[in-house]
Amino acid sequence: MLFKNPVTVASGTFGHSERYYDLEEVKRLGAIVPKTVTFHPQTGNPPVRIVETASGMINAIGIENPGIDAFIADKLPALKSIRVPLIISISGKDEEQWVGIIEKLNTQEGITAVELNLSCPNLKNKVLVAQDAQATMQLVKQMKALSKFPIIAKLSPNVTDIAQIAQAAEDGGADAVSLVNTFQAMAIDVKTRRSRIGNITGGLSGPAIRPIAVYMVRRVAASVKIPVIGMGGIMNAQDALEFLIAGATMVAVGTANFINPRAPLDVLEGIEAFMKENKIDDINEIIGSLKV
Ligand SMILES: Cc1cc2nc3c(=O)[nH]c(=O)nc-3n(C[C@H](O)[C@H](O)[C@H](O)COP(=O)(O)O)c2cc1C
Protein backbone atom coordinates (compact mmCIF):
# COMPACT_ATOMS: atom_id res chain seq x y z
CA MET A 1 0.00 0.00 0.00
CA LEU A 2 1.53 3.30 -1.08
CA PHE A 3 -0.32 6.56 -0.47
CA LYS A 4 0.37 9.98 -1.94
CA ASN A 5 0.50 11.51 1.54
CA PRO A 6 0.26 10.23 5.15
CA VAL A 7 -3.01 11.88 6.24
CA THR A 8 -6.33 10.08 6.49
CA VAL A 9 -9.51 10.31 8.58
CA ALA A 10 -10.43 8.07 11.52
CA SER A 11 -13.37 5.71 11.03
CA GLY A 12 -16.67 7.04 12.35
CA THR A 13 -15.70 10.70 12.25
CA PHE A 14 -16.08 11.30 8.53
CA GLY A 15 -19.33 9.35 8.25
CA HIS A 16 -20.55 8.18 4.93
CA SER A 17 -20.83 11.93 4.35
CA GLU A 18 -21.74 12.10 0.68
CA ARG A 19 -22.24 15.83 0.74
CA TYR A 20 -18.52 16.38 1.22
CA TYR A 21 -17.37 14.07 -1.54
CA ASP A 22 -17.24 16.67 -4.29
CA LEU A 23 -15.02 18.99 -2.35
CA GLU A 24 -11.66 19.37 -4.03
CA GLU A 25 -10.08 19.35 -0.59
CA VAL A 26 -11.32 15.85 0.25
CA LYS A 27 -9.64 14.60 -2.92
CA ARG A 28 -6.26 15.68 -1.50
CA LEU A 29 -6.37 13.26 1.45
CA GLY A 30 -4.03 10.26 1.45
CA ALA A 31 -6.97 7.93 2.06
CA ILE A 32 -10.53 7.89 3.38
CA VAL A 33 -11.83 5.51 6.06
CA PRO A 34 -15.63 5.54 6.31
CA LYS A 35 -17.62 4.51 9.39
CA THR A 36 -17.39 0.83 10.34
CA VAL A 37 -19.83 -1.37 8.41
CA THR A 38 -21.41 -4.47 9.99
CA PHE A 39 -23.15 -7.46 8.39
CA HIS A 40 -26.68 -6.37 9.32
CA PRO A 41 -27.93 -2.75 9.47
CA GLN A 42 -27.58 -1.23 12.97
CA THR A 43 -29.61 1.65 14.36
CA GLY A 44 -27.07 2.35 17.11
CA ASN A 45 -27.43 3.17 20.79
CA PRO A 46 -30.09 5.31 22.49
CA PRO A 47 -29.27 9.01 22.99
CA VAL A 48 -27.33 10.73 24.50
CA ARG A 49 -24.59 9.41 22.22
CA ILE A 50 -21.91 12.09 22.58
CA VAL A 51 -20.85 14.21 25.57
CA GLU A 52 -18.05 16.71 25.80
CA THR A 53 -15.44 16.19 28.54
CA ALA A 54 -12.23 18.00 29.45
CA SER A 55 -10.12 18.11 26.26
CA GLY A 56 -12.15 15.34 24.70
CA MET A 57 -15.47 13.64 24.21
CA ILE A 58 -17.13 10.37 25.08
CA ASN A 59 -19.16 8.66 22.38
CA ALA A 60 -21.37 5.59 22.33
CA ILE A 61 -22.80 5.62 18.83
CA GLY A 62 -23.19 1.85 18.63
CA ILE A 63 -21.86 1.55 15.06
CA GLU A 64 -24.98 2.95 13.40
CA ASN A 65 -24.65 1.88 9.76
CA PRO A 66 -26.77 0.53 6.88
CA GLY A 67 -25.19 -2.96 6.81
CA ILE A 68 -22.83 -4.35 4.18
CA ASP A 69 -25.38 -4.91 1.37
CA ALA A 70 -26.78 -1.37 1.49
CA PHE A 71 -23.27 0.02 1.97
CA ILE A 72 -22.09 -1.65 -1.23
CA ALA A 73 -25.22 -0.67 -3.17
CA ASP A 74 -25.76 2.89 -1.93
CA LYS A 75 -22.55 4.24 -0.37
CA LEU A 76 -19.59 2.62 -2.10
CA PRO A 77 -20.23 4.04 -5.61
CA ALA A 78 -20.17 7.62 -4.29
CA LEU A 79 -17.10 6.90 -2.15
CA LYS A 80 -15.28 5.43 -5.16
CA SER A 81 -16.14 8.48 -7.26
CA ILE A 82 -13.97 10.64 -4.95
CA ARG A 83 -10.94 8.82 -6.41
CA VAL A 84 -9.09 8.76 -3.10
CA PRO A 85 -7.82 5.39 -1.80
CA LEU A 86 -10.58 3.77 0.25
CA ILE A 87 -9.95 1.86 3.46
CA ILE A 88 -13.18 0.06 4.34
CA SER A 89 -13.68 -0.49 8.09
CA ILE A 90 -15.68 -3.60 8.99
CA SER A 91 -16.78 -5.45 12.11
CA GLY A 92 -18.55 -8.76 12.70
CA LYS A 93 -20.31 -10.27 15.72
CA ASP A 94 -19.23 -13.82 14.87
CA GLU A 95 -17.15 -15.74 12.36
CA GLU A 96 -20.03 -16.13 9.92
CA GLN A 97 -20.55 -12.37 9.78
CA TRP A 98 -16.85 -11.55 9.35
CA VAL A 99 -16.58 -14.09 6.53
CA GLY A 100 -19.84 -12.85 4.98
CA ILE A 101 -18.66 -9.23 4.92
CA ILE A 102 -15.29 -10.11 3.37
CA GLU A 103 -16.92 -12.28 0.70
CA LYS A 104 -19.24 -9.42 -0.24
CA LEU A 105 -16.35 -6.92 -0.38
CA ASN A 106 -14.36 -9.36 -2.52
CA THR A 107 -16.97 -8.93 -5.28
CA GLN A 108 -16.00 -5.23 -5.45
CA GLU A 109 -13.18 -3.33 -7.14
CA GLY A 110 -11.59 -0.03 -6.15
CA ILE A 111 -10.96 -0.76 -2.47
CA THR A 112 -7.39 -0.14 -1.28
CA ALA A 113 -7.55 -1.99 2.04
CA VAL A 114 -9.91 -3.41 4.64
CA GLU A 115 -9.60 -2.30 8.26
CA LEU A 116 -10.81 -4.81 10.87
CA ASN A 117 -12.40 -2.93 13.76
CA LEU A 118 -11.41 -5.46 16.43
CA SER A 119 -13.27 -3.59 19.19
CA CYS A 120 -16.08 -6.10 18.83
CA PRO A 121 -17.14 -8.91 21.14
CA ASN A 122 -15.18 -12.13 21.15
CA LEU A 123 -18.02 -14.53 21.91
CA LYS A 124 -15.80 -17.24 23.39
CA ASN A 125 -14.05 -15.20 26.08
CA LYS A 126 -16.52 -12.36 26.76
CA VAL A 127 -13.85 -9.76 25.98
CA LEU A 128 -13.22 -7.80 22.81
CA VAL A 129 -11.30 -9.57 20.05
CA ALA A 130 -8.71 -6.79 20.39
CA GLN A 131 -8.26 -7.75 24.06
CA ASP A 132 -7.29 -11.33 23.27
CA ALA A 133 -4.01 -11.96 21.43
CA GLN A 134 -5.01 -15.45 20.28
CA ALA A 135 -8.41 -14.31 18.97
CA THR A 136 -6.75 -11.36 17.20
CA MET A 137 -4.22 -13.63 15.53
CA GLN A 138 -6.84 -16.13 14.41
CA LEU A 139 -9.29 -13.56 13.06
CA VAL A 140 -6.58 -11.66 11.18
CA LYS A 141 -5.26 -14.92 9.74
CA GLN A 142 -8.71 -15.97 8.56
CA MET A 143 -9.52 -12.56 7.05
CA LYS A 144 -6.10 -12.35 5.38
CA ALA A 145 -6.64 -15.77 3.76
CA LEU A 146 -10.06 -14.77 2.43
CA SER A 147 -9.62 -11.11 1.49
CA LYS A 148 -8.36 -10.01 -1.89
CA PHE A 149 -7.49 -6.65 -0.28
CA PRO A 150 -4.70 -5.86 2.22
CA ILE A 151 -5.76 -6.18 5.87
CA ILE A 152 -5.27 -3.52 8.56
CA ALA A 153 -5.98 -4.53 12.18
CA LYS A 154 -7.39 -1.67 14.28
CA LEU A 155 -6.35 -2.10 17.89
CA SER A 156 -8.01 -1.12 21.14
CA PRO A 157 -6.04 0.74 23.82
CA ASN A 158 -8.11 -1.02 26.51
CA VAL A 159 -5.50 -3.72 27.07
CA THR A 160 -2.58 -4.45 29.39
CA ASP A 161 0.03 -4.54 26.62
CA ILE A 162 -0.95 -3.26 23.20
CA ALA A 163 2.40 -4.35 21.70
CA GLN A 164 1.48 -7.97 22.41
CA ILE A 165 -1.80 -7.60 20.49
CA ALA A 166 -0.01 -5.82 17.63
CA GLN A 167 2.45 -8.72 17.51
CA ALA A 168 -0.48 -11.16 17.31
CA ALA A 169 -1.95 -9.18 14.39
CA GLU A 170 1.41 -9.26 12.62
CA ASP A 171 1.73 -13.00 13.27
CA GLY A 172 -1.73 -13.44 11.74
CA GLY A 173 -0.49 -11.77 8.56
CA ALA A 174 -1.86 -8.23 8.93
CA ASP A 175 -0.43 -5.79 6.38
CA ALA A 176 -0.63 -2.93 8.91
CA VAL A 177 -2.03 -2.04 12.32
CA SER A 178 -3.93 1.11 13.24
CA LEU A 179 -4.23 2.50 16.76
CA VAL A 180 -5.74 3.71 18.97
CA ASN A 181 -9.48 3.24 19.12
CA THR A 182 -11.25 5.03 22.00
CA PHE A 183 -10.61 4.47 25.72
CA GLN A 184 -13.52 3.05 27.75
CA ALA A 185 -14.91 5.93 29.76
CA MET A 186 -17.83 7.39 31.74
CA ALA A 187 -19.13 10.79 32.78
CA ILE A 188 -21.77 11.14 35.50
CA ASP A 189 -24.33 13.88 36.08
CA VAL A 190 -24.05 14.42 39.84
CA LYS A 191 -27.55 15.94 40.16
CA THR A 192 -29.35 12.96 38.64
CA ARG A 193 -26.58 10.48 39.48
CA ARG A 194 -27.07 9.05 36.02
CA SER A 195 -24.51 8.52 33.33
CA ARG A 196 -24.38 11.39 30.85
CA ILE A 197 -24.30 8.72 28.09
CA GLY A 198 -27.40 6.75 27.06
CA ASN A 199 -25.36 3.56 26.81
CA ILE A 200 -23.96 4.26 30.35
CA THR A 201 -20.37 3.80 29.14
CA GLY A 202 -18.65 5.04 26.00
CA GLY A 203 -15.28 5.68 24.42
CA LEU A 204 -13.07 8.69 25.13
CA SER A 205 -11.34 10.43 22.21
CA GLY A 206 -9.74 13.80 21.47
CA PRO A 207 -6.68 15.64 22.84
CA ALA A 208 -7.19 14.08 26.31
CA ILE A 209 -5.96 10.71 24.99
CA ARG A 210 -3.13 11.95 22.75
CA PRO A 211 -0.13 11.45 25.07
CA ILE A 212 -1.23 7.87 25.81
CA ALA A 213 -1.86 7.21 22.11
CA VAL A 214 1.59 8.56 21.16
CA TYR A 215 3.12 6.28 23.81
CA MET A 216 1.23 3.24 22.48
CA VAL A 217 2.19 4.01 18.87
CA ARG A 218 5.81 4.27 19.95
CA ARG A 219 5.64 0.89 21.73
CA VAL A 220 3.93 -0.83 18.81
CA ALA A 221 6.21 0.70 16.17
CA ALA A 222 9.20 -0.57 18.12
CA SER A 223 7.67 -4.07 18.36
CA VAL A 224 6.39 -4.91 14.86
CA LYS A 225 7.78 -4.64 11.33
CA ILE A 226 4.47 -3.81 9.60
CA PRO A 227 3.40 -0.16 9.15
CA VAL A 228 1.53 1.62 11.94
CA ILE A 229 -1.32 4.07 11.36
CA GLY A 230 -1.39 6.42 14.36
CA MET A 231 -4.35 8.29 15.80
CA GLY A 232 -5.75 9.71 19.01
CA GLY A 233 -6.40 13.39 19.58
CA ILE A 234 -4.63 14.77 16.52
CA MET A 235 -5.86 18.36 16.21
CA ASN A 236 -3.08 19.93 14.12
CA ALA A 237 0.14 19.22 12.25
CA GLN A 238 2.25 19.43 15.40
CA ASP A 239 0.21 16.61 16.95
CA ALA A 240 0.45 14.53 13.77
CA LEU A 241 4.23 15.01 13.68
CA GLU A 242 4.45 13.56 17.20
CA PHE A 243 2.86 10.34 15.91
CA LEU A 244 5.12 10.24 12.83
CA ILE A 245 8.26 10.79 14.92
CA ALA A 246 7.02 8.06 17.28
CA GLY A 247 6.99 5.67 14.31
CA ALA A 248 3.58 5.93 12.60
CA THR A 249 3.84 5.89 8.80
CA MET A 250 0.37 7.39 8.44
CA VAL A 251 -1.89 9.41 10.74
CA ALA A 252 -5.68 9.62 11.06
CA VAL A 253 -7.68 12.65 12.17
CA GLY A 254 -10.85 11.82 14.14
CA THR A 255 -12.53 13.99 16.79
CA ALA A 256 -10.95 17.15 15.31
CA ASN A 257 -13.38 16.77 12.36
CA PHE A 258 -16.26 17.63 14.71
CA ILE A 259 -14.66 20.97 15.60
CA ASN A 260 -13.05 21.80 12.27
CA PRO A 261 -14.12 19.78 9.22
CA ARG A 262 -10.99 21.05 7.48
CA ALA A 263 -8.71 19.61 10.19
CA PRO A 264 -7.27 16.77 8.05
CA LEU A 265 -6.29 19.29 5.34
CA ASP A 266 -4.83 21.67 7.93
CA VAL A 267 -2.77 18.75 9.24
CA LEU A 268 -1.57 17.86 5.73
CA GLU A 269 -0.65 21.45 4.87
CA GLY A 270 1.04 21.87 8.26
CA ILE A 271 3.21 18.78 7.68
CA GLU A 272 4.14 20.10 4.23
CA ALA A 273 5.06 23.48 5.74
CA PHE A 274 7.15 21.80 8.47
CA MET A 275 9.03 19.78 5.84
CA LYS A 276 9.69 22.86 3.72
CA GLU A 277 10.83 24.89 6.72
CA ASN A 278 13.20 22.15 7.83
CA LYS A 279 14.34 21.31 4.27
CA ILE A 280 13.05 17.74 4.50
CA ASP A 281 12.25 16.19 1.09
CA ASP A 282 11.20 12.73 2.21
CA ILE A 283 8.62 12.01 4.94
CA ASN A 284 10.65 8.89 5.81
CA GLU A 285 13.22 11.22 7.38
CA ILE A 286 10.55 12.06 9.98
CA ILE A 287 8.93 8.63 10.50
CA GLY A 288 10.38 6.89 13.57
CA SER A 289 13.03 9.58 14.01
CA LEU A 290 12.56 9.83 17.79
CA LYS A 291 15.86 10.60 19.48
CA VAL A 292 16.54 8.77 22.72
C1 LIG B 1 -18.15 9.74 17.16
C2 LIG B 1 -17.11 8.69 16.94
C3 LIG B 1 -17.44 7.54 16.23
C4 LIG B 1 -16.47 6.54 16.01
N1 LIG B 1 -16.80 5.43 15.30
C5 LIG B 1 -15.84 4.51 15.01
C6 LIG B 1 -16.14 3.39 14.17
O1 LIG B 1 -17.25 3.23 13.66
N2 LIG B 1 -15.14 2.50 13.94
C7 LIG B 1 -13.87 2.64 14.45
O2 LIG B 1 -13.00 1.80 14.20
N3 LIG B 1 -13.57 3.70 15.25
C8 LIG B 1 -14.52 4.63 15.52
N4 LIG B 1 -14.20 5.71 16.30
C9 LIG B 1 -12.83 5.85 16.84
C10 LIG B 1 -11.95 6.74 15.95
O3 LIG B 1 -11.83 6.19 14.65
C11 LIG B 1 -10.54 6.92 16.57
O4 LIG B 1 -9.92 5.66 16.64
C12 LIG B 1 -10.57 7.52 17.96
O5 LIG B 1 -11.63 8.44 18.11
C13 LIG B 1 -9.26 8.21 18.35
O6 LIG B 1 -8.96 9.28 17.47
P1 LIG B 1 -9.40 10.82 17.75
O7 LIG B 1 -9.03 11.13 19.18
O8 LIG B 1 -8.66 11.63 16.74
O9 LIG B 1 -10.88 10.87 17.54
C14 LIG B 1 -15.15 6.72 16.53
C15 LIG B 1 -14.84 7.89 17.25
C16 LIG B 1 -15.78 8.87 17.44
C17 LIG B 1 -15.39 10.10 18.19
PDB file of all heavy atoms in Angstrom, residues 38 42 50 52-53 76 104 117 128 172 177-178 191 286:
ATOM      1  N   THR A  38     -21.162  -3.143   9.409  1.00  0.00           N
ATOM      2  CA  THR A  38     -21.408  -4.467   9.987  1.00  0.00           C
ATOM      3  C   THR A  38     -22.200  -5.317   8.986  1.00  0.00           C
ATOM      4  O   THR A  38     -22.608  -4.821   7.927  1.00  0.00           O
ATOM      5  CB  THR A  38     -22.202  -4.333  11.303  1.00  0.00           C
ATOM      6  OG1 THR A  38     -23.386  -3.567  11.054  1.00  0.00           O
ATOM      7  CG2 THR A  38     -21.373  -3.637  12.365  1.00  0.00           C
ATOM      8  N   GLN A  42     -27.474  -1.506  11.525  1.00  0.00           N
ATOM      9  CA  GLN A  42     -27.583  -1.233  12.967  1.00  0.00           C
ATOM     10  C   GLN A  42     -28.093   0.186  13.178  1.00  0.00           C
ATOM     11  O   GLN A  42     -27.616   1.113  12.520  1.00  0.00           O
ATOM     12  CB  GLN A  42     -26.207  -1.393  13.645  1.00  0.00           C
ATOM     13  CG  GLN A  42     -25.752  -2.831  13.715  1.00  0.00           C
ATOM     14  CD  GLN A  42     -24.494  -3.081  14.548  1.00  0.00           C
ATOM     15  OE1 GLN A  42     -24.017  -4.202  14.581  1.00  0.00           O
ATOM     16  NE2 GLN A  42     -23.977  -2.070  15.219  1.00  0.00           N
ATOM     17  N   ILE A  50     -23.186  11.373  22.507  1.00  0.00           N
ATOM     18  CA  ILE A  50     -21.909  12.089  22.576  1.00  0.00           C
ATOM     19  C   ILE A  50     -21.959  13.098  23.709  1.00  0.00           C
ATOM     20  O   ILE A  50     -22.936  13.841  23.824  1.00  0.00           O
ATOM     21  CB  ILE A  50     -21.624  12.837  21.249  1.00  0.00           C
ATOM     22  CG1 ILE A  50     -21.261  11.841  20.133  1.00  0.00           C
ATOM     23  CG2 ILE A  50     -20.509  13.863  21.417  1.00  0.00           C
ATOM     24  CD1 ILE A  50     -20.953  12.494  18.795  1.00  0.00           C
ATOM     25  N   GLU A  52     -19.360  16.075  25.768  1.00  0.00           N
ATOM     26  CA  GLU A  52     -18.050  16.713  25.797  1.00  0.00           C
ATOM     27  C   GLU A  52     -17.450  16.560  27.191  1.00  0.00           C
ATOM     28  O   GLU A  52     -18.148  16.681  28.200  1.00  0.00           O
ATOM     29  CB  GLU A  52     -18.186  18.194  25.431  1.00  0.00           C
ATOM     30  CG  GLU A  52     -16.848  18.841  25.189  1.00  0.00           C
ATOM     31  CD  GLU A  52     -16.955  20.240  24.596  1.00  0.00           C
ATOM     32  OE1 GLU A  52     -18.028  20.598  24.080  1.00  0.00           O
ATOM     33  OE2 GLU A  52     -15.940  20.955  24.663  1.00  0.00           O
ATOM     34  N   THR A  53     -16.157  16.271  27.262  1.00  0.00           N
ATOM     35  CA  THR A  53     -15.442  16.192  28.536  1.00  0.00           C
ATOM     36  C   THR A  53     -14.192  17.057  28.415  1.00  0.00           C
ATOM     37  O   THR A  53     -13.938  17.619  27.349  1.00  0.00           O
ATOM     38  CB  THR A  53     -15.054  14.724  28.852  1.00  0.00           C
ATOM     39  OG1 THR A  53     -14.294  14.204  27.760  1.00  0.00           O
ATOM     40  CG2 THR A  53     -16.277  13.850  29.073  1.00  0.00           C
ATOM     41  N   LEU A  76     -20.891   2.872  -1.484  1.00  0.00           N
ATOM     42  CA  LEU A  76     -19.590   2.622  -2.105  1.00  0.00           C
ATOM     43  C   LEU A  76     -19.407   3.341  -3.452  1.00  0.00           C
ATOM     44  O   LEU A  76     -18.334   3.909  -3.696  1.00  0.00           O
ATOM     45  CB  LEU A  76     -19.360   1.111  -2.233  1.00  0.00           C
ATOM     46  CG  LEU A  76     -17.922   0.647  -2.439  1.00  0.00           C
ATOM     47  CD1 LEU A  76     -16.986   1.194  -1.368  1.00  0.00           C
ATOM     48  CD2 LEU A  76     -17.854  -0.882  -2.462  1.00  0.00           C
ATOM     49  N   LYS A 104     -18.492 -10.454   0.507  1.00  0.00           N
ATOM     50  CA  LYS A 104     -19.237  -9.423  -0.241  1.00  0.00           C
ATOM     51  C   LYS A 104     -18.286  -8.339  -0.752  1.00  0.00           C
ATOM     52  O   LYS A 104     -18.410  -7.871  -1.882  1.00  0.00           O
ATOM     53  CB  LYS A 104     -20.335  -8.825   0.633  1.00  0.00           C
ATOM     54  CG  LYS A 104     -21.542  -9.774   0.805  1.00  0.00           C
ATOM     55  CD  LYS A 104     -22.514  -9.256   1.856  1.00  0.00           C
ATOM     56  CE  LYS A 104     -23.548 -10.307   2.251  1.00  0.00           C
ATOM     57  NZ  LYS A 104     -24.643 -10.438   1.294  1.00  0.00           N
ATOM     58  N   ASN A 117     -12.155  -3.589  12.479  1.00  0.00           N
ATOM     59  CA  ASN A 117     -12.396  -2.933  13.762  1.00  0.00           C
ATOM     60  C   ASN A 117     -12.533  -4.045  14.799  1.00  0.00           C
ATOM     61  O   ASN A 117     -13.587  -4.658  14.923  1.00  0.00           O
ATOM     62  CB  ASN A 117     -13.665  -2.070  13.672  1.00  0.00           C
ATOM     63  CG  ASN A 117     -14.012  -1.405  14.983  1.00  0.00           C
ATOM     64  OD1 ASN A 117     -13.347  -1.631  16.005  1.00  0.00           O
ATOM     65  ND2 ASN A 117     -15.052  -0.599  14.981  1.00  0.00           N
ATOM     66  N   LEU A 128     -13.302  -8.193  24.205  1.00  0.00           N
ATOM     67  CA  LEU A 128     -13.222  -7.800  22.806  1.00  0.00           C
ATOM     68  C   LEU A 128     -12.157  -8.645  22.098  1.00  0.00           C
ATOM     69  O   LEU A 128     -11.200  -9.085  22.741  1.00  0.00           O
ATOM     70  CB  LEU A 128     -12.832  -6.324  22.690  1.00  0.00           C
ATOM     71  CG  LEU A 128     -13.709  -5.314  23.440  1.00  0.00           C
ATOM     72  CD1 LEU A 128     -13.186  -3.898  23.220  1.00  0.00           C
ATOM     73  CD2 LEU A 128     -15.159  -5.426  22.994  1.00  0.00           C
ATOM     74  N   GLY A 172      -0.583 -12.983  12.524  1.00  0.00           N
ATOM     75  CA  GLY A 172      -1.735 -13.439  11.743  1.00  0.00           C
ATOM     76  C   GLY A 172      -1.657 -13.016  10.279  1.00  0.00           C
ATOM     77  O   GLY A 172      -2.489 -13.415   9.467  1.00  0.00           O
ATOM     78  N   VAL A 177      -1.142  -2.201  11.159  1.00  0.00           N
ATOM     79  CA  VAL A 177      -2.029  -2.038  12.317  1.00  0.00           C
ATOM     80  C   VAL A 177      -2.379  -0.557  12.437  1.00  0.00           C
ATOM     81  O   VAL A 177      -1.585   0.311  12.030  1.00  0.00           O
ATOM     82  CB  VAL A 177      -1.404  -2.519  13.655  1.00  0.00           C
ATOM     83  CG1 VAL A 177      -1.352  -4.029  13.733  1.00  0.00           C
ATOM     84  CG2 VAL A 177      -0.021  -1.924  13.866  1.00  0.00           C
ATOM     85  N   SER A 178      -3.567  -0.275  12.963  1.00  0.00           N
ATOM     86  CA  SER A 178      -3.928   1.108  13.243  1.00  0.00           C
ATOM     87  C   SER A 178      -4.305   1.202  14.712  1.00  0.00           C
ATOM     88  O   SER A 178      -4.880   0.279  15.281  1.00  0.00           O
ATOM     89  CB  SER A 178      -5.083   1.573  12.340  1.00  0.00           C
ATOM     90  OG  SER A 178      -6.191   0.717  12.458  1.00  0.00           O
ATOM     91  N   LYS A 191     -26.192  15.603  39.680  1.00  0.00           N
ATOM     92  CA  LYS A 191     -27.547  15.942  40.160  1.00  0.00           C
ATOM     93  C   LYS A 191     -28.464  14.732  40.036  1.00  0.00           C
ATOM     94  O   LYS A 191     -29.181  14.375  40.965  1.00  0.00           O
ATOM     95  CB  LYS A 191     -28.102  17.104  39.334  1.00  0.00           C
ATOM     96  CG  LYS A 191     -27.642  18.451  39.838  1.00  0.00           C
ATOM     97  CD  LYS A 191     -28.599  19.550  39.367  1.00  0.00           C
ATOM     98  CE  LYS A 191     -27.942  20.901  39.543  1.00  0.00           C
ATOM     99  NZ  LYS A 191     -27.735  21.601  38.276  1.00  0.00           N
ATOM    100  N   ILE A 286      11.255  11.703   8.742  1.00  0.00           N
ATOM    101  CA  ILE A 286      10.547  12.058   9.983  1.00  0.00           C
ATOM    102  C   ILE A 286      10.068  10.795  10.705  1.00  0.00           C
ATOM    103  O   ILE A 286      10.175  10.679  11.929  1.00  0.00           O
ATOM    104  CB  ILE A 286       9.333  12.966   9.675  1.00  0.00           C
ATOM    105  CG1 ILE A 286       9.788  14.253   8.981  1.00  0.00           C
ATOM    106  CG2 ILE A 286       8.541  13.271  10.947  1.00  0.00           C
ATOM    107  CD1 ILE A 286       8.641  15.143   8.530  1.00  0.00           C
TER     108      ILE A 286
END
